[in-house]
Amino acid sequence: MIATLPNLLGEIRACRVCEPELPLGARPVLVADTRARVLVAGQAPGTRVHATGIPWNDASGKRLREWLGLEAEVFYDPARVAIVPMGFCYPGTGKSGDLPPRAECRRLWHDRVFSLLPGLRLRIVIGQYAQAYHLAGRTRPNLTQTVAAWREFAPALYPLPHPSPRNQMWLRRNPWFAEELLPDLRAAVRRVLAG
Ligand code: SF4
């Protein structure tokens, strides 16, 4: 089969490789279009995203759009924003929240997807799994330190914590995030989508 993005997305949406391990079965959720300039790279769908097939369709997504300064209409426009998490299917829940994204996904798909997204100019990279992939060896010992080093990666890439409302304490402890990183990120998003 010819290596085009639509062909690859068709292969991914039919993927059932780790279905026996997935509590709700396979339902790969991602958005990708060769025209996209901004990438949102997160962890994996939660149950609500699994049920609807719409990425970031929850309270975390609402807060993420506020962080980015994007209306839903732009955020969900594939010609502008690609949404490619590290795991495409809901992985299930463990003792301390959702399980990590399935490693099979990264092994099978990610390099191929990103080789077909040549227009990406800004990567918004959320959480430790996406940061390990997109920062490839440049992460710090923990997520807070990686996010605190954002000036090293901007304006092409911004590492973020998860925008879950449960992360309120992290935001209070790290006021520089809202005061310095977010205004810079919003300006970068505006520039990239306008240019
Ligand atoms: S998580 Fe990834 S590798 Fe596993 S079934 Fe879903 S798309 Fe396939």
Side-chain angles (χ1 to χ4, degrees), residues 17-195:
V17 163
C18 39
E19 187 151 58
E21 313 299 329
L22 299 173
L24 302 181
R27 184 177 195 184
V29 178
L30 73 158
V31 174
D33 183 300
T34 51
R35 295 166 294 176
R37 293 178 175 196
V38 173
L39 167 71
V40 173
Q43 182 160 317
T47 49
R48 182 165 173 167
V49 173
H50 174 90
T52 60
I54 303 170
W56 295 102
N57 180 26
D58 53 16
S60 299
K62 185 168 179 286
R63 174 179 264 176
L64 176 61
R65 288 186 285 280
E66 286 165 9
W67 283 0
L68 302 178
L70 288 180
E71 298 296 329
E73 180 200 347
V74 178
F75 184 84
Y76 287 118
D77 177 0
R80 291 186 270 193
V81 179
I83 304 175
V84 184
M86 291 313 297
F88 299 144
C89 300
Y90 169 63
T93 306
K95 282 196 193 102
S96 51
D98 285 354
L99 291 172
R102 298 295 308 184
E104 294 89 335
C105 228
R106 188 187 60 238
R107 266 203 310 273
L108 285 169
W109 302 120
H110 286 70
D111 289 353
R112 294 172 68 192
V113 171
F114 291 113
S115 74
L116 295 170
L117 290 174
L120 291 181
R121 287 165 50 192
L122 168 55
R123 293 177 191 234
I124 294 147
V125 182
I126 301 157
Q128 58 166 319
Y129 298 102
Q131 286 161 13
Y133 179 82
H134 289 278
L135 286 171
R138 293 188 295 158
T139 53
R140 300 299 195 266
N142 65 45
L143 181 132
T144 299
Q145 290 172 21
T146 301
V147 177
W150 64 275
R151 285 189 175 84
E152 193 179 305
F153 315 117
L157 186 153
Y158 288 78
L160 303 187
H162 198 280
S164 162
R166 289 194 303 266
N167 267 349
Q168 209 55 36
M169 185 65 86
W170 188 94
L171 295 173
R172 272 203 293 275
R173 281 196 191 125
N174 298 283
W176 50 267
F177 177 77
E179 290 163 10
E180 297 170 34
L181 186 154
L182 287 185
D184 203 86
L185 170 61
R186 283 190 203 108
V189 170
R190 274 198 307 274
R191 259 194 326 273
V192 164
L193 290 179

